[in-house]
Amino acid sequence: MPKPKPPVGHLPQVCTAEPAGIARAAEVILAGGTVAVPTETVYGLAARADDDAAVAGIYRAKGRPDFNPLIVHVPDLATAQELAMFDPPALALAEAFWPGPLTLVLPRRVGARLAAAVSAGLPTVALRCPAHPTMQAMLQAAALPLAAPSANRSGGVSPTTAAHVVGSLGERVDLVIDGGETARGIESTIVAVRPDGGWQVLRPGPITQAEVAAVIGEANVLAAPVDRIEAPGQLSSHYAPGKPVRLDADGAMPDEFHIGFGAIKGDVSLSASGDLAEAAARLYACLHAGAAAEQPRIAVAPIPQTGIGVAINDRLGRAAA
């Protein structure tokens, strides 16, 4: 069946997260197309993970470098175990945090039905079981694991609404499912579990390193590698709004759009009450607002380096790189 394509110069079709929209999206996925779908973190650009051409469509739509691996979304632990090797620590993490915003980087099983491109030539695969009902419905309808990085141009600000997806990708995506604004607003935590029993956080996210350590122990934690890309979000420059970004800004210069936090008001605020969970949920919406503002520069108030603030500062640091 040929892959459905919108007319050149037209925006993609947008469907609601109702059964008819899910069914239409599954048709596009099975035909090798791409569908933007909400998760509890950000919107993902999904394609069937077992087809080289379909996965190539993700890289092409995003303008993503082919050395940057993709996260494969699965409906449950049993499906994940068909694709990767789970040792006791990995199994404990999956049982503790799935479905939810945790991605595990694990040794890929020999013969796993996955396109080679999802791992970018590495012997590992990044797996996540999402909690969002729309993404779960997509996984059930397609009956396939889905590769799904964030649904935006590579290196840009991640999307937390369907409008962000359309504004970033336009006709590059075949279909968008509008499931409203995402709840977490920041990408999943990525943890690599090594064959020697060690583990490391490759990308901070909603689940903190302390929460991971509470399940599998602090003794074997390793420093994240800095000389190779093993997972999404490790590029030094990422999540960029297309303007210079100044961090730890108590105030703004006349040419700056100011993103506030807590007592620092700003033009918009990540959280007026200083709530880090709210700040994470609003981070990309505020960066999108800054990108659309008339000021040529963006300034961001200081964010505490505690809890999920570690993940917020990670994204801001890469946005400013």
Side-chain angles (χ1 to χ4, degrees), residues 186 204 239 247-248 270 276 279-280 283 300-320:
I186 198 166
Y239 317 109
L247 305 180
D248 299 321
L270 291 169
L276 288 172
L283 174 61
V300 186
I303 306 297
Q305 187 73 358
T306 59
I308 199 173
V310 173
I312 297 170
N313 283 313
D314 170 78
R315 304 309 193 274
L316 288 172
R318 296 174 196 275

Side-chain angles (χ1 to χ4, degrees), residues 126-155:
L127 297 173
R128 181 161 96 87
C129 176
H132 197 285
T134 301
M135 185 55 144
Q136 276 290 340
M138 276 286 304
L139 288 163
Q140 297 294 336
L144 289 167
L146 299 178
S150 58
N152 58 285
R153 295 298 299 275
S154 183

Side-chain angles (χ1 to χ4, degrees), residues 66-284:
D66 61 7
F67 58 78
N68 200 357
L70 304 176
I71 293 174
V72 176
H73 292 68
V74 294
D76 49 40
L77 176 57
T79 303
Q81 289 176 304
E82 297 173 0
L83 305 176
M85 305 293 291
F86 279 73
D87 61 10
L91 189 60
L93 289 175
E95 291 174 341
F97 297 114
W98 281 3
L102 176 71
T103 295
L104 295 174
V105 174
L106 302 170
R108 177 171 167 156
R109 279 192 182 276
V110 175
R113 294 186 60 188
L114 292 171
V118 299
S119 297
L122 298 170
T124 53
V125 61
L127 297 173
R128 181 161 96 87
C129 176
H132 197 285
T134 301
M135 185 55 144
Q136 276 290 340
M138 276 286 304
L139 288 163
Q140 297 294 336
L144 289 167
L146 299 178
S150 58
N152 58 285
R153 295 298 299 275
S154 183
V157 181
S158 299
T160 55
T161 68
H164 292 161
V165 176
V166 174
S168 182
L169 292 180
E171 65 182 41
R172 291 170 175 262
V173 57
D174 297 319
L175 184 72
V176 178
I177 298 180
D178 188 348
E181 189 171 3
T182 61
R184 294 280 193 164
I186 198 166
E187 296 87 351
S188 63
T189 303
I190 301 180
V191 173
V193 180
R194 305 303 186 188
D196 61 4
W199 62 275
Q200 54 205 164
V201 175
L202 300 183
R203 180 178 72 186
I207 296 170
T208 66
Q209 179 166 310
E211 289 174 308
V212 174
V215 176
I216 59 174
E218 189 75 51
N220 293 325
V221 66
L222 307 169
V226 295
D227 58 347
R228 66 185 186 276
I229 302 298
E230 289 190 277
Q234 290 187 284
L235 293 173
S236 58
S237 178
H238 205 53
Y239 317 109
K243 296 178 178 180
V245 176
R246 183 169 66 91
L247 305 180
D248 299 321
D250 292 327
M253 305 294 288
D255 65 343
E256 290 179 326
F257 179 88
H258 196 197
I259 298 175
F261 177 78
I264 300 173
K265 186 176 180 180
D267 296 295
V268 296
S269 178
L270 291 169
S271 173
S273 65
D275 185 311
L276 288 172
E278 180 184 14
R282 287 184 44 76
L283 174 61
Y284 293 137

